């Protein structure tokens, strides 16, 4: 028998809770524009998002600057910006078993933080451009917010999230397979996709069956990466703490400067560079005494840095780096750009977890007119470096060591030719690439 006195309060409570939930949902794009009073509210709003440190995401920064250039209102969202809090240290671990134990708590923390930032700390937007990876929980939250707020989602693919997870857990781990399935599922409903290489477009369309538009938007250097004249170069080298001690030998050609930039993560094997430099030092101190010294500067921060610094210290103490000086540095973006322009050769150790992403650091080097040698055993590499034109490829520490000997001692003309190729490649800038692709997609360019 229906008990009216029991069910009525329950119905009222249920209706009240449901109404409160509806009222508490984030506002949708378009609703508030019917009553525009502030002129800024009539502009197109765009959310540009990375679930990470904005300072270490230059491509996302460039997107935001390019969109703002056309008068749009841009909310750049990342760690400690618009309410996304940095993941607490107690939720981080390099140990596999502890990583797996903490992962659910980390995902819950990031989900709440990202949802709050996108839904409540920023106004509704016409477009949401999100960096992938990280994939979990970024794509899920982004899809949910876009559904609630009537926003169009654009995924900016830097790599595949599941392939990076595979570096930590192994490619056949069940969580890696689950991550790939989630990445495929939550990316399939996006409005559009921007990718960093033609190889990535092929993988997404042929292997993942993503629908168009899937648009290659190759990384290009921003304006502050520029070549330097000789006087500017030596003026900077004399002021930079990492190079001041060697500036006279660099000027006289007795020392060559090599630079590599890294995030100190597992997808870059710095033992390749270390072993190559040890081999070079041995040859320069014995059979190839004509070879110049090398000043190798490695920039960046990351989890594997301390172990590498300890390895350098041990090798130096043992006398295995007599003709090589290795220093680490963390520079401002302006000084980093000038350091690239002042070096003789750039080295990329990016091995690509997916085979279809490209290292942004190489783009910056070319923008500064710096020739590059890099690990070339992945599909997308030829899209960035033309062998013998603006750089050279290697696939082992031995081949890297041989390249250093050739470029710094045996065939200096080759290094000069590669520098000219880098200068030519660096002439095409970010805006030249961005406007006809992303600008047109967003309706900002014809």
């Amino acid at each position: 028998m229906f008990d009216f006195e029991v069910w009525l309060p329950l119905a009222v409570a249920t209706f009240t809770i449901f109404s409160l939930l509806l009222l508490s949902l984030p506002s949708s794009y378009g609703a508030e524009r019917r009553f525009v009073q502030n002129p800024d509210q009539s502009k197109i709003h765009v959310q540009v998002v990375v679930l990470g440190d904005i300072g270490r995401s230059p491509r996302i920064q460039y997107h935001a600057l390019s969109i703002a250039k056309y008068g749009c209102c841009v909310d750049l969202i990342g760690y400690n910006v618009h309410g996304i809090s940095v993941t607490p240290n107690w939720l981080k671990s390099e140990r596999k078993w502890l990583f797996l134990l903490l992962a659910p708590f980390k995902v819950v923390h990031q989900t709440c933080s990202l949802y709050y930032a996108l839904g409540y700390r920023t106004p509704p937007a016409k477009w949401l451009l999100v960096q992938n990876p990280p994939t979990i929980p970024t794509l899920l939250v982004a899809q949910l917010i876009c559904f609630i707020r009537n926003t169009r989602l654009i995924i900016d693919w830097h790599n595949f999230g599941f392939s990076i997870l595979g570096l930590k857990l192994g490619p056949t781990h069940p969580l890696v397979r689950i991550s790939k399935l989630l990445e495929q599922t939550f990316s399939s409903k996006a409005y559009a996709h921007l990718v960093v290489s033609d190889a990535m477009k092929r993988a997404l369309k042929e292997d993942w069956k993503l629908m168009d538009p899937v648009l290659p938007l190759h990384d290009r250097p921003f304006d502050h990466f520029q070549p330097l004249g000789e006087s500017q170069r030596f003026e900077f080298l004399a002021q930079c703490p990492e190079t001041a001690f060697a500036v006279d030998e660099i000027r006289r050609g007795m020392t060559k400067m090599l630079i590599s930039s890294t995030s100190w993560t597992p997808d870059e094997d710095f033992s390749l560079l270390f072993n190559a430099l040890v081999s070079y030092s041995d040859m320069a101190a014995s059979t190839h005494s004509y070879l110049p010294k090398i000043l190798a500067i490695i920039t960046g921060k990351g989890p594997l840095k301390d172990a590498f610094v300890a390895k350098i210290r041990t090798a130096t103490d043992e006398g295995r780096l007599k003709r090589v000086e290795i220093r680490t540095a963390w520079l401002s973006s302006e000084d980093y750009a000038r350091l690239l322009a002042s070096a003789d050769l750039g080295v990329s150790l990016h091995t690509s977890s997916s085979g279809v992403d490209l290292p942004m650091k190489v783009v910056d080097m070319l923008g500064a007119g710096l020739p590059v040698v890099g690990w070339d055993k992945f599909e997308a590499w030829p899209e960035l470096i033309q062998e013998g034109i603006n750089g050279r490829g290697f696939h082992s520490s031995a081949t890297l060591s041989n390249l250093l000997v050739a470029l710094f001692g045996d065939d200096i003309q080759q290094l000069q030719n590669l520098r000219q190729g880098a200068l030519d490649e660096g002439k095409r800038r970010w805006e030249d690439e961005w406007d006809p692709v992303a600008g047109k997609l967003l309706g900002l360019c014809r």
Side-chain angles (χ1 to χ4, degrees):
M1 182 176 178
F2 182 79
D3 192 336
F4 187 79
E5 292 182 355
V6 173
W7 287 102
L8 180 60
L10 288 176
V12 171
T14 301
F15 178 78
T16 302
I17 293 172
F18 182 72
S19 299
L20 290 174
L21 287 174
L22 287 178
L23 291 173
S24 65
L25 288 176
S27 57
S28 65
Y29 182 77
E32 82 294 342
R33 295 169 66 85
R34 301 170 191 166
F35 309 100
V36 172
Q37 294 179 344
N38 186 340
D40 285 342
Q41 291 180 341
S42 63
K43 297 180 180 179
I44 294 176
H45 274 73
V46 182
Q47 292 174 320
V48 180
V49 185
V50 55
L51 188 56
D53 184 351
I54 292 174
R56 298 175 66 177
S57 305
R59 182 176 166 102
I60 284 296
Q61 296 177 46
Y62 298 168
H63 277 304
L65 289 170
S66 296
I67 295 169
K69 179 186 72 173
Y70 286 97
C72 299
C73 290
V74 180
D75 287 309
L76 183 56
I77 302 167
Y79 280 166
N80 293 325
V81 181
H82 288 303
I84 297 184
S85 58
V86 178
T87 304
N89 288 330
W90 65 271
L91 287 176
K92 302 175 184 177
S93 178
E94 293 301 315
R95 298 178 181 177
K96 183 185 293 188
W97 68 271
L98 191 54
F99 170 82
L100 293 172
L101 181 65
L102 296 175
F105 301 98
K106 180 180 178 181
V107 169
V108 170
H109 172 272
Q110 291 179 326
T111 299
C112 295
S113 183
L114 183 59
Y115 181 81
Y116 179 64
L118 295 179
Y120 298 98
R121 293 298 299 272
T122 52
K126 180 177 181 179
W127 302 97
L128 194 161
L129 191 155
V130 62
Q131 173 183 309
N132 182 66
T135 301
I136 302 172
T138 310
L139 296 188
L140 169 61
V141 176
Q143 287 281 14
L144 178 60
I145 286 293
C146 287
F147 175 76
I148 294 172
R149 307 197 84 172
N150 191 31
T151 296
R152 293 177 175 178
L153 176 63
I154 300 174
I155 300 176
D156 189 41
W157 294 81
H158 296 204
N159 203 344
F160 297 152
F162 80 90
S163 69
I164 295 177
L165 183 62
L167 294 175
K168 182 184 291 288
L169 302 180
T172 60
H173 195 281
L175 282 183
V176 175
R177 295 176 178 176
I178 293 172
S179 175
K180 181 177 181 180
L181 178 62
L182 292 175
E183 194 166 10
Q184 291 175 317
T185 301
F186 292 123
S187 63
S188 62
K189 302 302 181 183
Y191 179 85
H193 307 266
L194 301 175
V195 297
V196 296
S197 70
D198 295 325
M200 186 175 286
K201 175 182 178 178
R202 179 205 57 74
L204 289 176
K205 288 184 66 64
E206 295 180 8
D207 301 339
W208 290 32
K209 309 302 181 184
L210 288 188
M211 302 297 292
D212 283 328
V214 181
L215 306 172
L217 176 58
H218 290 87
D219 285 319
R220 295 294 175 184
F222 217 63
D223 292 339
H224 62 283
F225 289 99
Q226 297 285 348
L228 293 179
E230 282 296 295
S231 60
Q232 294 173 305
R233 180 193 181 203
F234 287 110
E235 180 182 354
F236 171 75
L237 291 176
Q239 296 173 353
C240 180
E242 288 76 21
T243 60
F245 74 97
V247 67
D248 289 336
E249 290 192 353
I250 294 174
R251 190 190 303 272
R252 287 182 288 167
M254 298 172 61
T255 295
K256 294 293 184 180
M257 192 168 74
L258 175 154
I259 186 167
S260 186
S261 176
T262 178
S263 299
W264 298 102
T265 51
D267 65 343
E268 294 179 314
D269 184 1
F270 263 82
S271 65
L272 288 169
L273 177 58
F274 177 81
N275 293 334
L277 291 174
V278 169
S279 177
Y280 178 96
S281 180
D282 287 343
M283 286 187 285
S286 56
T287 57
H288 295 63
S289 57
Y290 61 89
L291 289 173
K293 296 178 182 177
I294 288 181
L295 170 59
I297 299 178
I298 304 172
T299 68
K301 292 181 179 180
L304 303 181
K305 179 179 178 180
D306 290 342
F308 186 76
V309 170
K311 192 174 183 179
I312 295 170
R313 189 180 302 113
T314 300
T316 302
D317 293 341
E318 294 174 350
R320 292 193 289 152
L321 292 170
K322 293 179 180 179
R323 301 283 293 174
V324 174
E325 177 87 18
I326 304 177
R327 298 204 169 189
T328 60
W330 176 252
L331 305 169
S332 67
S333 58
E334 293 78 11
D335 283 347
Y336 173 64
R338 288 190 287 176
L339 184 66
L340 292 183
S342 301
D344 296 293
L345 185 67
V347 177
S348 170
L349 299 168
H350 182 78
T351 55
S352 181
S353 61
S354 64
V356 296
D357 70 312
L358 287 168
M360 184 74 180
K361 62 178 72 66
V362 173
V363 175
D364 297 337
M365 291 173 181
L366 295 175
L370 180 65
V372 180
V373 295
W375 179 269
D376 63 355
K377 294 303 176 182
F378 59 97
E379 182 182 350
W381 176 254
E383 295 184 37
L384 191 57
I385 293 297
Q386 303 170 62
E387 182 68 21
I389 304 298
N390 57 8
R392 295 290 304 275
F394 62 84
H395 53 271
S396 67
S397 59
T399 53
L400 174 55
S401 179
N402 291 337
L403 279 176
L404 296 179
V405 171
L407 296 175
F408 288 162
D410 293 342
D411 190 0
I412 297 178
Q413 183 60 47
Q414 182 183 177
L415 183 60
Q416 294 174 351
N417 293 340
L418 293 178
R419 181 174 290 277
Q420 184 57 53
L423 289 168
D424 293 340
E425 179 67 23
K427 290 178 181 177
R428 184 169 175 82
R429 293 283 154 169
W430 170 257
E431 296 298 343
D432 299 326
E433 192 80 16
W434 192 90
D435 283 357
V437 180
K440 185 176 181 180
L441 175 65
L442 294 170
L444 305 177
C445 305
R446 293 185 178 181

